[in-house]
Amino acid sequence: MDQSISQARILIVDDEPANLKVMREVLASNYRLSFAKSGAVALQLIENDPPKLILLDVMMPDMNGFEVCKILKANPKTAHIPVIFVTALTQEQDESEGFSLGAVDYITKPISPAIVKARVKTHLSLVQAEQLKQAHVDLVERLGRAAEYKDTDTGEHIARMSQYSKVLALALGMNEQHAELLRQAAPMHDVGKIGIPDSILLKPGKLTPDEFAHMKEHAAIGAKILANSPSPLLQLAHVLAIEHHEKWDGTGYPNGLKGEEISIEGRIVAIADVFDALTSKRPYKEPWSIEQTLEHMQQQAGKHFDPHLVDLFISKIDAILAIKKAHQERD
């Protein structure tokens, strides 16, 4: 058994001492165990030291398992903890209620030791996989922030533009899963700036032709950093890095792609990136007003930007500005 799984702590909640004893005999050799004889005690233990998994009896006095689960799932601090109901209830409506409250599984009494061990191992493995996935996403965002800190006052630009990208993707009809993947990948679009000297990135005035040529290399640098990964997240980040400065009319860089030769994700991120850049303070300029920015984007529809996406973006401006305001308050 994976060591990180075997060291996981499981909370077992049951008002019958005999049932707690049976669970101890089944699981104690593989996991760290905590016990509670009531829902109230369980909630207190969870608040003080959240476990990796909860085995929860349904039929308990004062507060039954359904009520405990409902409280846990309503609390953002504990909503992520998997709950497996352990119960003598066999009615389909009872199982349906438990799943509707957020439980991940049911184990019926009298328990089978083999089934308990298998279900616990399965759900702890899923927890571990989700944690690894979240760490992956978190690392991508932090690397994006590291690049962004080179030429903005804060790393909030990439948080804003990635959320704008998701809003626009959903407005286009992209499914939630892919729109979220786009949000997660968008922070890496400018990672190639790591390879651009600060004398160019932070220059307060207009760049010379040579300096601008050097600046444009950040798209190719970012693509090289992100190339050849088996991860769907990094594969999409690679596309965004190489395409976010391409233009609808073919005058962009580095490859001069035109129209739908540019991926839909690249076209979305281009709009989100430019909107936030124009409305933000940079070393070389003061922020534009929202009105100026939207007017510019409309003028660039069919030139820099996909015209249909510009219309969609403007139709969602209230949601965009709410995101911008929330991050300004964080600043």
Side-chain angles (χ1 to χ4, degrees):
M1 182 180 293
D2 188 293
Q3 187 176 11
S4 61
I5 293 178
S6 68
Q7 293 175 348
R9 190 170 66 81
I10 300 171
L11 175 62
I12 303 170
V13 187
D14 198 307
D15 63 308
E16 291 291 338
N19 293 334
L20 297 177
K21 181 180 178 181
V22 170
M23 284 294 191
R24 182 195 296 272
E25 292 171 352
V26 172
L27 297 171
S29 61
N30 292 320
Y31 306 101
R32 297 184 298 121
L33 305 179
S34 297
F35 302 92
K37 294 182 180 180
S38 71
V41 171
L43 291 172
Q44 185 175 1
L45 289 174
I46 294 165
E47 179 71 22
N48 294 335
D49 186 13
K52 293 294 185 183
L53 179 71
I54 301 169
L55 295 173
L56 181 59
D57 184 28
V58 174
M59 302 301 292
M60 296 185 294
D62 300 324
M63 182 185 296
N64 66 35
F66 292 148
E67 293 169 322
V68 174
C69 186
K70 186 175 182 179
I71 292 170
L72 292 173
K73 297 305 175 181
N75 184 345
K77 294 181 179 179
T78 57
H80 66 284
I81 304 172
V83 174
I84 298 176
F85 282 123
V86 184
T87 178
L89 298 176
T90 57
Q91 294 295 321
E92 183 176 333
Q93 67 185 49
D94 295 320
E95 289 194 11
S96 177
E97 180 177 0
F99 287 128
S100 70
L101 291 173
V104 296
D105 211 341
Y106 262 86
I107 296 174
T108 56
K109 296 179 181 179
I111 67 165
S112 160
I115 289 177
V116 171
K117 290 179 180 179
R119 300 282 177 83
V120 166
K121 182 179 179 180
T122 294
H123 288 291
L124 286 175
S125 295
L126 291 173
V127 168
Q128 185 181 47
E130 181 60 30
Q131 288 174 336
L132 288 172
K133 177 183 175 182
Q134 188 54 49
H136 187 185
V137 171
D138 189 46
L139 181 59
V140 166
E141 181 171 342
R142 289 172 187 270
L143 287 172
R145 284 178 179 269
E148 197 59 38
Y149 270 110
K150 285 175 67 69
D151 74 333
T152 62
D153 293 333
T154 76
E156 291 301 312
H157 165 67
I158 58 119
R160 290 190 299 262
M161 62 78 58
S162 62
Q163 290 187 50
Y164 301 160
S165 296
K166 183 176 181 179
V167 168
L168 184 52
L170 291 172
L172 183 65
M174 192 177 290
N175 66 54
E176 169 68 30
Q177 183 178 6
H178 195 68
E180 176 60 16
L181 186 69
L182 176 58
R183 185 197 68 77
Q184 294 169 356
M188 293 294 280
H189 73 286
D190 262 343
V191 70
K193 286 180 178 178
I194 290 172
I196 304 301
D198 288 351
S199 60
I200 294 176
L201 280 176
L202 302 178
K203 184 176 179 178
K206 186 176 180 179
L207 299 180
T208 67
D210 284 346
E211 288 170 336
F212 185 59
H214 200 161
M215 170 67 89
K216 290 196 295 184
E217 291 176 5
H218 81 274
I221 293 170
K224 288 179 181 178
I225 291 171
L226 297 167
N228 303 318
S229 171
S231 161
L233 176 58
L234 292 183
Q235 289 171 2
L236 180 53
H238 172 266
V239 171
L240 300 181
I242 197 70
E243 291 189 355
H244 71 283
H245 281 295
E246 299 290 356
K247 295 184 178 181
W248 183 257
D249 64 4
T251 62
Y253 64 86
N255 295 316
L257 301 180
K258 185 176 182 179
E260 293 186 1
E261 293 175 351
I262 310 166
S263 70
I264 187 62
E265 296 90 351
R267 284 177 269 153
I268 287 171
V269 165
I271 288 177
D273 186 34
V274 169
F275 175 83
D276 196 70
L278 291 178
T279 56
S280 302
K281 181 180 174 66
R282 289 292 172 91
Y284 50 86
K285 73 168 192 68
E286 292 299 313
W288 290 19
S289 70
I290 301 300
E291 293 74 16
Q292 285 177 303
T293 302
L294 294 181
E295 182 179 355
H296 172 78
M297 292 174 68
Q298 287 175 313
Q299 292 171 349
Q300 290 298 310
K303 299 176 184 177
H304 189 157
F305 307 119
D306 179 337
H308 177 56
L309 291 181
V310 171
D311 290 341
L312 275 180
F313 186 87
I314 292 173
S315 75
K316 294 296 180 181
I317 194 61
D318 289 345
I320 298 297
L321 294 181
I323 292 168
K324 187 172 183 64
K325 181 180 179 181
H327 284 277
Q328 284 174 335
E329 290 172 353
R330 282 176 57 177
D331 283 348

